[in-house]
Amino acid sequence: AAKSISVPDARSSLAAVAKDMGMLKSQLTMAEKERDARPEDQFCEKLRAFHGAAEEELARLKDRVEETVQQLDGLGQFFGEGKGQFDSRQFFGSLATFCDAFDEVMKKKGVDRDGRQTETAATAEASQPEPATEEGP
């Protein structure tokens, strides 16, 4: 199931994760200084590998969020909204409502999304009697 999230929520979540990553990095640095007393402890080494991979993933995620924001701004401008005024939740909610209503109308007309007559409509049309024609002398 899809989850709805706003752009400010996404940015806030990313900022919180980035802050936690910064704290982890400083704790890792302190732990490495204490490691000299326990050379057999591999915790710092394993955590350093995890931290590096997590930082890369966080950077990719930040890039994707910013790219999404730019695309949403472009979509808003296309539909006449000013930059930063586009409400994606409202827009996509309205679009989903429109699509559902459109599908209902098409279903009633016996046409699928691709414009082809549905099986039900074709069967109903085939079962209708041919109109009688008058034959002249």
Side-chain angles (χ1 to χ4, degrees):
K3 172 99 169 93
S4 175
I5 185 168
S6 69
V7 171
D9 290 346
R11 284 185 169 150
S12 175
S13 294
L14 283 174
V17 171
K19 181 181 174 186
D20 290 344
M21 291 291 290
M23 287 175 30
L24 178 62
K25 188 173 188 174
S26 65
Q27 290 173 349
L28 187 57
T29 302
M30 287 189 306
E32 284 179 333
K33 290 178 183 176
E34 295 173 5
R35 187 176 146 213
D36 293 335
R38 296 172 289 158
E40 71 283 350
D41 187 4
Q42 295 184 1
F43 177 76
C44 289
E45 184 179 322
K46 301 236 185 242
L47 192 57
R48 175 72 62 196
F50 163 78
H51 186 266
E55 274 188 323
E56 289 175 11
E57 188 62 32
L58 182 60
R60 281 193 293 274
L61 191 55
K62 282 181 180 179
D63 289 345
R64 289 178 66 190
V65 166
E66 289 309 313
E67 181 181 331
T68 300
V69 168
Q70 289 174 355
Q71 289 175 350
L72 285 173
D73 282 343
L75 184 63
Q77 288 175 352
F78 180 79
F79 285 100
E81 295 289 330
K83 191 170 185 162
Q85 297 175 336
F86 183 66
D87 184 346
S88 60
R89 284 184 178 175
Q90 181 182 359
F91 173 79
F92 288 113
S94 297
L95 183 61
T97 301
F98 170 80
C99 289
D100 291 343
F102 182 79
D103 285 346
E104 273 301 308
V105 169
M106 296 305 282
K107 188 177 182 182
K108 287 179 183 176
K109 289 186 176 255
V111 179
D112 68 10
R113 279 189 170 190
D114 295 327
R116 296 184 297 248
Q117 194 172 27
T118 61
E119 223 174 277
T120 308
T123 305
E125 192 176 284
S127 66
Q128 300 242 341
E130 293 286 327
T133 58
E134 289 186 30
E135 291 183 20

